[in-house]
Amino acid sequence: MMKNIILQGIWQVKCLVENEKLTNKLLRINRNISIRIKIMVMIVGIVIILGIWLSMQTLDIIQSTLSDQLVKQGVSLGQYISARSTDLIFINDNFTLHQLIQEIVSNNNNVRYAFILDSEGNLLTSSFGMLLPKGLDKINKVEYNLAYHVQTLNTEKGVVYDIAVPIFEGSAGTVRLGMSESEIQKLLFNTTQSLLATTILVSVFGILIAYFFTLLLTNPLTQLVEAAKAVGKGDFNKRVKLGWAHGELVQLAQVFNNMVENLKQVDQLRTNLLNKIITAQEEERSRIARELHDHTGQSLTSIMIGLKMLESSKNMEEMKGKVAELRKFTNTTLEEIKDLSLTLRPGVLDDLGLEAALQSYSSECLTKLGIDVDFHSVGMEGVKLSQEVNLTIYRVVQEALTNVAKYSNASEASIIIKRNENMLIVIVEDNGIGFNVEEKLNSSIQNKKLGLPGMQERVNLIGGKLTIESEPGMGTTIYIHLNMEGLVQDEKNKNLSS
Ligand SMILES: Nc1ncnc2c1ncn2[C@@H]1O[C@H](COP(=O)(O)OP(=O)(O)OP(=O)(O)O)[C@@H](O)[C@H]1O
Ligand SMILES: [Mg+2]
């Protein structure tokens, strides 16, 4: 008993697994078949099923109508023979009787045989000659009060309706006619052939129409697939042509094309930014090399010469003078090296943090860039951001102020850094000539002016958002918004996060 239950369980699990495999297989096949094929198979399937169903219905109706007609024809022929043969039987004119039978059989294709029996059931005349097929005379019988009786016979050559019609109410005998369905079958065969041909024709026509419509319907989809593949491989020039698309597909194609256009612009922007970074790096290196060679190198050479001269000093007085000169040179060299290292990486950023670095930079602006910059900081106590965030904000502020110095004609500018709950906000503002932001951003790639998009990109990379507000004649304000959750390491933020 237990064994049976276990075996049944195993069998059911096996069935489930096999069913799942089958379902997966079907799903995989379904996924690999294109929509075009599916629609075409559907239409052809419907046409074939409808064709077969209609043909069967038609053939059925034709068959039953013609069979009824055949029986009616048989009955009226039987009644005709019955009427004509009454006198002939009474006067025993078998010859004319035979002629009558022969005439009916040869003039009607549907009449397979005909014969007349007398009231005793003896054969008077027949289309078979004087010998009837065995048992045929007994197969059908008509009651004397009835007008006729039909008996269906299944012969080797198809269905035969045997019709018995009484002569002179049966007292003179019975006429028997065999009405064959073979002519009907021929007709049915021909009708079936033409219905089949029509179904095939309609199917071919259906396939052509389905092909055309699915082409209309799926062409934009096929194009979309091809374009998506191309975009996936990094080709942003591929577009979906809208000529074939309809309804929702037009929208889909438009959305796709816009998306690719945006991707193309972003890709171009990135390429340009990368180029700019590489060029800027190279320029920076040659500047440093120049600086080291022209200034630091010169200064060190002067120090070396000074030291040599120091060796050959004749007295203490001369030596002291030369040492003072050497100290001056060394001091200048030290300043140069400091300046150089500051431009490479502001050390104050690592040592004292963003707030201090920005403050120090703002105070250098007047001498370095020629603009007076105010610095304000609100709620930044204890905020310690990562080096990456510090450097990004520092460089963005530097670029913003360089632009202020280059283009704004401003008399004043300010840097504000503040913390609002979890949000770090940095504002660089000037009261200069301002500019049309959208215009400048849209033409930035074309004009290779990558300062503003570069600022946006850098802020995006650290998870922040850069907004530029400016209008001609209204000054410029640049905002950096950065959610500090998870970025700040101070106690206040820990409390906020929790
Ligand atoms: N503070 C500002 N006041 C007025 N115009 C500005 C200001 N900032 C930017 N612009 C305008 O926006 C343009 C684009 O600035 P952006 O920094 O992108 O390029 P750039 O400084 O000309 O070149 P790059 O920064 O790539 O060396 C500038 O050419 C200038 O016309
Ligand atoms: Mg710039």
Side-chain angles (χ1 to χ4, degrees), residues 399 403 406-407 451:
E399 168 65 22
N403 277 353
K406 266 160 71 181
Y407 310 111

Side-chain angles (χ1 to χ4, degrees), residues 218-329:
T218 56
N219 194 285
L221 285 178
T222 319
Q223 274 197 53
L224 261 172
V225 172
E226 273 167 24
K229 275 185 193 162
V231 171
K233 284 180 192 157
D235 174 10
F236 297 112
N237 291 319
K238 199 100 187 161
R239 295 286 181 281
V240 179
K241 287 188 197 93
L242 300 174
W244 288 84
H246 302 272
E248 292 86 348
L249 286 177
V250 176
Q251 288 170 21
L252 185 64
Q254 267 169 349
V255 169
F256 180 84
N257 284 349
N258 290 347
M259 188 188 79
V260 178
E261 189 57 46
N262 288 345
L263 278 175
K264 187 181 173 181
Q265 279 188 5
V266 171
D267 186 61
Q268 214 166 341
L269 186 68
R270 269 171 209 245
T271 315
N272 288 350
L273 279 173
L274 195 69
N275 279 341
K276 187 170 176 175
I277 289 170
I278 294 168
T279 326
Q281 258 180 4
E282 281 311 311
E283 277 172 8
E284 190 70 355
R285 280 180 187 195
S286 27
R287 191 181 71 81
I288 295 163
R290 232 180 8 250
E291 201 103 330
L292 284 171
H293 178 265
D294 295 354
H295 297 281
T296 322
Q298 293 297 331
S299 304
L300 287 173
T301 314
S302 303
I303 293 170
M304 211 175 71
I305 294 168
L307 285 170
K308 228 179 197 176
M309 284 167 69
L310 197 65
E311 267 180 355
S312 57
S313 339
K314 293 179 184 104
N315 53 42
M316 205 54 171
E317 241 359 75
E318 199 184 328
M319 195 183 273
K320 271 187 181 170
K322 280 179 183 160
V323 167
E325 219 170 292
L326 274 176
R327 269 181 56 192
K328 218 172 96 193
F329 268 132

Side-chain angles (χ1 to χ4, degrees), residues 57 111 133 153 166 245 325 328 333 363 374 381 427 440 471 486:
Q57 290 284 319
V111 180
L153 309 176
E325 219 170 292
K328 218 172 96 193
T333 314
S363 55
D374 280 348
E381 303 78 32
I427 305 169
K440 291 285 177 197
E471 259 178 61

